[in-house]
Amino acid sequence: MEKRRRVVPYMERLWVTDIALIALLVFLLMYIFFLYPLGQIGSFRPLTTVFWSLILITGAMTALRNRLFRTLVFSWGFLAFVFLWIRHLFPHETFILVSNCLALFYLVLLTPLILSQALRDGETTSRRIMGAVAAYLILGLIWSVAYHLIALRIPGAFSIQGPSTPGDTESMQSQLFYFSFVTLTTIGYGDIAAVHPIARMLTILEGVIGQLFPAILIARLVSLQVQSKKKT
C-alpha cells in the first residue's frame, strides 16, 4: 500500500513537469512522419503497433491529476491497447472496427485534457507549445480513424486516385491517414475526395478546425505570456 502511494505521486510529477507531453509529442512525430509510412511494409507493421501502444500509454499518463478522467482514460486506453494487439494478431473486420471505435473515443477524451494542461494559466514555455502541437497532431489521428470507420461501413465513401489495393484494409487506412492530415492543414491535393455526405461533413469540419486551431492557439499563448509579464 505504501509503495503504491509512492508510485502515484511520482507519476503525477511526470505530468506536472510536462515530461509526459514531451514523450507523447516525440512518439507522435515518429509515428506520423516515419513509422506509419513504413508500416505499410509488412515487416514494419509490428513496430508501428508498438509505437501506437506507446502513444496510448503516454497519453493515459496525462489523466493522472483528475480522478474522473483518470478512470475514463485509463479504462478506454486499456481496452484500446488490448484490442489493438488483438487486431494485429487476428486482423478480422470485427476486431478492426472495435479497435478503431475504442481508439477514436480514447483520442477524443485525451485531446481536451492535453489542451487544458498545455494552456493552463502560467508563463508560456516551450513545453506548453509542445503540448499544443501534440494536441494538433492528435486531431489528425482522430479524423483518420473516423474516416477509416466510414470507409469500412460505407464502401465508396471516398474516391481515391492512384495506386491502391482494393479490399486491403491497411492500404485504405494509410490513404485515409494521409488524407486526414492533408485536410487538416488545408493543402488539398485532390487525389482523394470525400463522396458520401457524412464523409464530406467530417472533411469540412476538419478543414475548419485546421484553420481555427492555430489562430486560437497563438492568441491564447500570447495572452498567457502577457498575463505572466503583468504578474511579475
Side-chain angles (χ1 to χ4, degrees):
M1 187 69 176
E2 184 177 353
K3 183 178 180 181
R4 182 172 175 269
R5 290 178 180 175
R6 292 178 181 176
V7 171
V8 172
Y10 173 74
M11 296 290 285
E12 289 179 350
R13 282 197 300 272
L14 287 179
W15 176 246
V16 173
T17 56
D18 294 332
I19 295 176
L21 281 176
I22 298 174
L24 180 61
L25 180 59
V26 169
F27 290 139
L28 283 169
L29 291 174
M30 292 187 67
Y31 179 80
I32 293 171
F33 298 107
F34 179 69
L35 291 174
Y36 195 88
L38 291 178
Q40 303 314 303
I41 304 174
S43 57
F44 284 93
R45 286 179 183 175
L47 189 58
T48 61
T49 304
V50 169
F51 263 78
W52 182 245
S53 301
L54 291 174
I55 291 172
L56 295 177
I57 294 170
T58 53
M61 290 172 61
T62 64
L64 287 171
R65 297 186 66 187
N66 186 291
R67 291 183 179 180
L68 177 60
F69 273 103
R70 181 189 306 175
T71 303
L72 287 175
V73 174
F74 266 81
S75 299
W76 282 95
F78 177 76
L79 289 174
F81 178 85
V82 170
F83 273 91
L84 172 67
W85 284 97
I86 292 176
R87 167 189 174 176
H88 177 73
L89 297 174
F90 308 100
H92 189 271
E93 183 177 350
T94 301
F95 294 142
I96 294 174
L97 285 171
V98 174
S99 176
N100 282 346
C101 288
L102 290 172
L104 180 62
F105 189 79
Y106 172 78
L107 294 174
V108 169
L109 279 176
L110 186 61
T111 303
L113 186 62
I114 291 177
L115 287 175
S116 67
Q117 293 294 334
L119 302 180
R120 63 187 184 272
D121 291 338
E123 184 181 0
T124 301
T125 63
S126 59
R127 290 177 179 176
R128 289 177 179 273
I129 297 174
M130 290 181 184
V133 172
Y136 186 71
L137 295 177
I138 291 175
L139 288 175
L141 294 180
I142 289 174
W143 260 268
S144 70
V145 175
Y147 292 148
H148 192 212
L149 282 171
I150 292 174
L152 289 175
R153 302 306 300 171
I154 309 174
F158 295 91
S159 174
I160 301 177
Q161 301 177 8
S164 61
T165 306
D168 186 354
T169 302
E170 295 294 336
S171 177
M172 174 65 72
Q173 187 173 8
S174 176
Q175 297 276 9
L176 295 175
F177 183 89
Y178 155 80
F179 174 69
S180 174
F181 281 93
V182 167
T183 303
L184 183 67
T185 54
T186 64
I187 297 175
Y189 290 117
D191 51 345
I192 302 177
V195 177
H196 194 274
I198 296 178
R200 287 181 174 179
M201 178 192 67
L202 285 178
T203 301
I204 293 172
L205 182 60
E206 184 178 21
V208 171
I209 290 177
Q211 289 287 303
L212 293 179
F213 186 93
I216 295 174
L217 171 65
I218 293 173
R220 175 59 177 169
L221 291 177
V222 171
S223 174
L224 289 174
Q225 185 65 18
V226 170
Q227 291 177 6
S228 176
K229 292 285 186 181
K230 289 182 178 179
K231 291 179 180 179
T232 55

